[in-house]
């Protein structure tokens, strides 16, 4: 979508903290090869993401559900070497002989826990560590990072979808977008069921005026009683013609699960099979959200149909983008009965902020400091 610059003028104190606690998708598993190192920018800081070779058995800090047994373990650490500060996401490599992350600057090597285990040119190894080593979970064909304002352990596990890793499903399509807004605006949009029959009423592609045909939406929303970090929605979508006639074979039932602050799964149940869409929001900076859609489809769904469905989802998504990028955040909105669970969603989302969470103002100040 086009990039919309913010036109809102608000005090930073109005906004919630910009970086909630939870699991966040970093990249697809297939995007990180054995021995590869990448720099990742998220939460206003730099990380080094790397994958060891398959011989690595260190699993102390990470969980993995990797279908491809030929892949090594994914690790994520603070980007900067404790020696002279080289960015390991740029100047790092995985040593084939030790399976450790090696700094190309002076040859310091670090094990999976970030501890220095070898230094080039000397047998004396200093007692030093990479400052922070992060919890990583690899499942459903994606690598996730646990973000916590106090660097604590994960408070819940991600749901492993066996069907995605089976031969009955395939990776059908994906998309990438960047949105300039606070992270909460995007998942809040799902619980805002009132806007579905307004903003998303017209058919995508605008191929028919809405007095001839339009989308009809209904939805339910509730917090999961067993897993309070999850909300569950059921959305019923159909196409109506001439104001009341429901077009046959055009109805879709979608089960939506918001998992923590930045992950949403949408299960599309159609007459020709099921599609599983992951919407993954990652705050790269205070008001820069990277949004990835990753779609898996059952083998009964033809690939062109799956791609068409993701295109339609993205077209609907693009209707929201200019609003997100230019709206004000209203901490105490005036609501009507039509707004449904909107305020309940906000109360639910508060659990992902801690007293220790960096404030919007402080994070913005750090981000706008002169850098060189």
């Amino acid at each position: 979508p086009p990039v919309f610059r913010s036109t809102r003028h608000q005090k930073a104190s109005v906004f919630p903290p910009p970086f909630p606690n939870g699991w966040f998708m970093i990249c697809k598993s297939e995007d990180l090869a054995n021995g590869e190192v990448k720099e990742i920018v998220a939460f206003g800081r730099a990380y080094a993401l790397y994958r060891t070779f398959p011989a690595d058995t260190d699993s102390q800090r990470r969980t993995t559900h990797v279908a491809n047994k030929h892949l090594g373990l994914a690790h994520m650490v603070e980007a900067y070497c404790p020696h002279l500060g080289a960015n390991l996401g740029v100047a790092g490599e995985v040593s084939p002989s030790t399976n450790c992350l090696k700094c190309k600057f002076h040859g310091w090597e670090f094990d999976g826990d970030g501890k220095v285990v070898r230094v080039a040119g000397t047998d004396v190894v200093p007692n030093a560590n990479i400052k922070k080593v992060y919890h990583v979970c690899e499942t459903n064909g994606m690598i996730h990072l646990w973000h916590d304002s106090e660097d604590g352990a994960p408070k819940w596990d991600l749901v492993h979808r066996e069907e995605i890793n089976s031969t009955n499903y395939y990776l059908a399509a994906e998309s990438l977008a960047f949105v300039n807004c606070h992270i909460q605006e995007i998942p809040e949009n799902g619980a805002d069921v009132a806007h579905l029959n307004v903003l998303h009423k017209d058919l995508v592609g605008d191929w028919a005026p809405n007095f001839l045909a339009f989308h009809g939406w209904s939805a339910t929303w509730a917090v999961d009683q067993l897993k309070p970090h999850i909300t569950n929605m059921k959305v019923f979508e159909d196409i109506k013609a001439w104001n009341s006639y429901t077009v046959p074979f055009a109805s879709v039932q979608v089960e939506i699960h918001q998992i923590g602050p930045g992950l949403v799964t949408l299960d599309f149940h159609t007459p020709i099979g099921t599609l599983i869409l992951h919407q993954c929001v990652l705050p790269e900076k205070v008001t820069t959200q990277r949004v990835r859609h990753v779609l898996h489809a059952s083998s009964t769904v033809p690939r062109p149909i799956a791609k068409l469905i993701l295109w339609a989802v993205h077209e609907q998504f693009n209707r929201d983008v200019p609003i997100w990028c230019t709206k004000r955040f209203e901490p105490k909105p005036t609501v009507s009965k039509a707004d449904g669970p909107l305020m309940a969603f906000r109360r639910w989302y508060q659990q992902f902020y801690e007293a220790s969470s960096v404030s919007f103002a402080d994070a913005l100040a750090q981000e706008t400091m002169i850098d060189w």
Side-chain angles (χ1 to χ4, degrees):
V3 175
F4 291 87
R5 297 303 177 190
S6 171
T7 58
R8 51 191 173 267
H9 302 282
Q10 289 185 274
K11 293 182 178 180
S13 59
V14 170
F15 292 92
F19 306 135
N21 294 346
W23 287 107
F24 294 86
M25 184 266 214
I26 301 301
C27 68
K28 302 200 312 298
S29 295
E30 64 182 39
D31 293 337
L32 187 68
N34 290 332
E36 186 175 5
V37 183
K38 290 187 174 186
E39 181 189 29
I40 301 295
V41 176
F43 311 105
R45 63 180 70 168
Y47 301 81
L49 171 68
Y50 69 98
R51 189 187 294 282
T52 58
F53 295 98
D56 192 350
T57 58
D58 174 22
S59 59
Q60 179 179 353
R61 288 182 179 269
R62 52 203 59 83
T63 304
T64 182
H65 294 285
V66 185
N68 186 347
K69 301 303 180 182
H70 299 291
L71 288 177
L73 293 178
H75 300 251
M76 203 157 179
V77 298
E78 183 184 68
Y80 302 107
C81 178
H83 179 212
L84 289 179
N87 186 326
L88 297 170
V90 178
E93 63 183 0
V94 178
S95 170
S97 60
T98 62
N99 229 0
C100 292
L101 178 63
K102 180 179 179 180
C103 180
K104 297 178 184 178
F105 197 12
H106 293 90
W108 286 38
E109 296 188 26
F110 307 89
D111 65 13
D113 292 319
K115 183 176 178 59
V116 180
V117 295
R118 181 179 295 185
V119 175
T122 179
D123 293 331
V124 180
V125 179
N127 183 20
N129 294 70
I130 296 175
K131 188 176 180 181
K132 291 183 180 181
V133 177
Y134 297 93
H135 297 273
V136 170
C137 176
E138 186 164 9
T139 186
N140 303 325
M142 293 173 284
I143 298 171
H144 301 83
L145 163 73
W146 174 262
H147 171 75
D148 190 276
S149 60
E150 298 179 348
D151 297 324
K155 294 181 174 63
W156 69 83
D157 295 328
L158 289 172
V159 178
H160 177 59
R161 303 291 297 265
E162 291 286 352
E163 61 268 47
I164 289 179
N165 297 308
S166 73
T167 57
N168 296 325
Y169 277 72
Y170 66 95
L171 177 61
E174 60 181 304
S175 67
L176 173 65
F178 291 89
V179 183
N180 295 322
C181 69
H182 189 284
I183 182 176
Q184 185 175 316
E185 299 279 13
I186 298 176
E188 181 174 295
N189 196 69
D192 181 12
V193 297
H195 89 292
L196 293 176
N197 283 308
V198 181
L199 184 62
H200 300 289
K201 181 177 181 179
D202 293 350
L203 299 182
V204 294
D206 297 325
W207 58 270
N210 60 27
F211 68 85
L212 290 179
F214 58 90
H215 289 286
W217 305 86
S218 60
T220 61
W221 181 93
V223 176
D224 193 291
Q225 296 301 306
L226 299 178
K227 299 178 179 180
H229 62 279
I230 295 177
T231 66
N232 302 313
M233 286 187 69
K234 286 189 176 181
V235 176
F236 302 91
E237 176 192 0
D238 52 35
I239 296 178
K240 296 185 181 298
W242 297 288
N243 207 34
S244 60
Y245 175 70
T246 300
V247 178
F249 306 108
S251 298
V252 177
Q253 178 181 331
V254 188
E255 293 182 17
I256 304 176
H257 306 284
Q258 171 86 41
I259 306 168
L263 300 174
V264 179
T265 63
L266 301 90
D267 289 27
F268 293 82
H269 301 289
T270 74
I272 59 173
T274 298
L275 302 96
I276 302 173
L277 176 65
H278 287 85
Q279 177 178 285
C280 310
V281 183
L282 175 69
E284 290 192 346
K285 296 182 179 180
V286 175
T287 57
T288 302
Q289 314 303 325
R290 188 203 72 185
V291 185
R292 296 190 71 166
H293 292 100
V294 181
L295 180 66
H296 292 84
S298 61
S299 56
T300 57
V301 179
R303 187 178 295 271
I305 298 298
K307 288 182 175 292
L308 181 64
I309 289 175
L310 183 58
W311 170 80
V313 168
H314 215 262
E315 286 294 300
Q316 294 282 17
F317 177 84
N318 286 345
R319 294 181 183 181
D320 291 289
V321 170
I323 296 176
W324 290 330
C325 291
T326 57
K327 72 185 292 295
R328 287 167 55 92
F329 180 81
E330 295 293 345
K332 297 180 179 179
T334 301
V335 297
S336 71
K337 290 184 178 180
D339 288 315
L342 178 62
M343 298 309 294
F345 173 89
R346 287 196 173 187
R347 290 190 293 272
W348 170 81
Y349 203 87
Q350 286 298 310
Q351 67 182 293
F352 307 117
Y353 303 126
E354 301 283 355
S356 57
S357 296
V358 62
S359 70
F360 189 93
D362 288 345
L364 193 61
Q366 294 172 17
E367 183 178 300
T368 54
M369 290 175 64
I370 297 176
D371 197 5
W372 59 275

